[in-house]
Amino acid sequence: MQWNIPISKHLQHGELNLEDKALVDRAIADLPNAYAPYSNFRVSAAIRLDNGSILSGCNQENSSFPVGICAERVVLSAVHASHPGSKVLSMAIVCNDGREGPLEPTAPCGMCRQALSDQVSRQSTGMRLILSTINGPTWVLDEASDLLPFRFDFKQ
Ligand code: THU
């Protein structure tokens, strides 16, 4: 199937710029913080804030499945808990399904796309997305909110 996706760059790990590479490396380093005993699909999201801080969050599943939360929304909540008012300049998302062989990056789910888009509206600054894996290519999107065109916006 052909997707009309706003990927601006397909890169190998060694081709990333230093800032993006540092964010991907932090997300990979923190993958063990994922709690994914039900899906075995680990996701880690690391963000760079406008104050220079880097935070990360991983998916946290729950025995009552719908209670689980994706890595992207874990780390966005951490921003508002410990760095309120800060802007999220970029987010690296990495995944690992525990199997051998190269894996494609994962794109944020629909609920996370809404959360990312709302964050972009709140902060009035765009957010770069770097989608990667432990052993595969990296896709760079210049603007996270491009993933959710014609989105719901309570202010409209
Ligand atoms: N997951 C994320 O953490 N982020 C996404 O954008 C998609 C899915 C998690 C949720 C669940 O724990 C596992 O991946 C499998 O769906």
Side-chain angles (χ1 to χ4, degrees):
M1 189 183 290
Q2 276 299 107
W3 303 96
N4 184 17
I5 40 181
I7 294 174
S8 56
K9 289 189 199 83
H10 287 71
L11 300 169
Q12 297 307 314
H13 194 63
E15 299 173 317
L16 292 171
N17 71 41
L18 287 182
E19 285 207 332
D20 290 354
K21 187 172 179 305
L23 219 49
V24 169
D25 288 344
R26 169 67 183 269
I28 290 173
D30 290 349
L31 264 173
N33 297 338
Y35 181 68
Y38 305 104
S39 70
N40 286 317
F41 191 78
R42 293 169 172 270
V43 186
S44 177
I47 53 173
R48 183 183 302 283
L49 299 180
D50 60 344
N51 66 14
S53 302
I54 293 182
L55 308 181
S56 76
C58 295
N59 56 331
Q60 301 297 322
E61 296 183 351
N62 188 279
S63 57
S64 175
F65 293 176
V67 179
I69 179 167
C70 295
E72 296 90 326
R73 283 174 291 122
V74 169
V75 73
L76 285 180
S77 299
V79 174
H80 300 296
S82 49
H83 297 265
S86 291
K87 298 182 179 198
V88 181
L89 303 182
S90 51
M91 176 183 288
I93 304 168
V94 302
C95 59
N96 180 11
D97 65 2
R99 288 181 287 196
E100 298 283 317
L103 179 67
E104 283 216 319
T106 191
C109 75
M111 196 183 277
C112 289
R113 290 176 196 213
Q114 182 70 38
L116 292 166
S117 295
D118 268 33
Q119 177 63 31
V120 168
S121 299
R122 278 174 76 169
Q123 65 183 22
S124 312
T125 305
M127 191 195 307
R128 180 178 174 84
L129 266 195
I130 307 132
L131 309 179
S132 194
T133 78
I134 50 159
N135 57 9
T138 297
W139 300 337
V140 178
L141 286 74
D142 289 330
E143 179 42 60
S145 57
D146 287 350
L147 281 175
L148 194 59
F150 202 47
R151 58 190 159 273
F152 174 73
D153 186 347
F154 197 65
K155 292 186 290 298
Q156 68 194 349

